[in-house]
Amino acid sequence: MAEDLPASGPNLGSRILVTWVELTVVGLIGGVVGTSLGGPPALVVYFATTLLSVAVLFHNVNELIREWIRG
């Protein structure tokens, strides 16, 4: 059974940590900028923060899949 596993698979733990840090940074920056602007520009910042959060998730999932396929 252990012979069937690749020697170096994707490092899920570190990818989760990186994703969490990136999402935290994006959320904090979006919150600070949105709060400081207020009004309609804050809505634009909210939408941009949401899009960036989705982009961070897609990028990290893509990297995991890419590493998994290589392994």
Side-chain angles (χ1 to χ4, degrees):
M1 286 212 161
E3 301 86 33
D4 297 338
L5 298 174
S8 62
N11 197 351
L12 183 62
S14 67
R15 185 54 62 182
I16 289 173
L17 182 65
V18 167
T19 304
W20 178 76
V21 169
E22 289 173 348
L23 287 173
T24 301
V25 169
V26 167
L28 286 175
I29 291 173
V32 168
V33 172
T35 303
S36 66
L37 291 177
L43 183 63
V44 173
V45 171
Y46 170 76
F47 288 146
T49 303
T50 303
L51 286 174
L52 282 172
S53 298
V54 171
V56 164
L57 287 173
F58 281 167
H59 169 73
N60 285 300
V61 168
N62 184 43
E63 289 300 314
L64 269 175
I65 292 171
R66 192 179 287 172
E67 287 179 31
W68 181 66
I69 289 174
R70 269 190 242 154

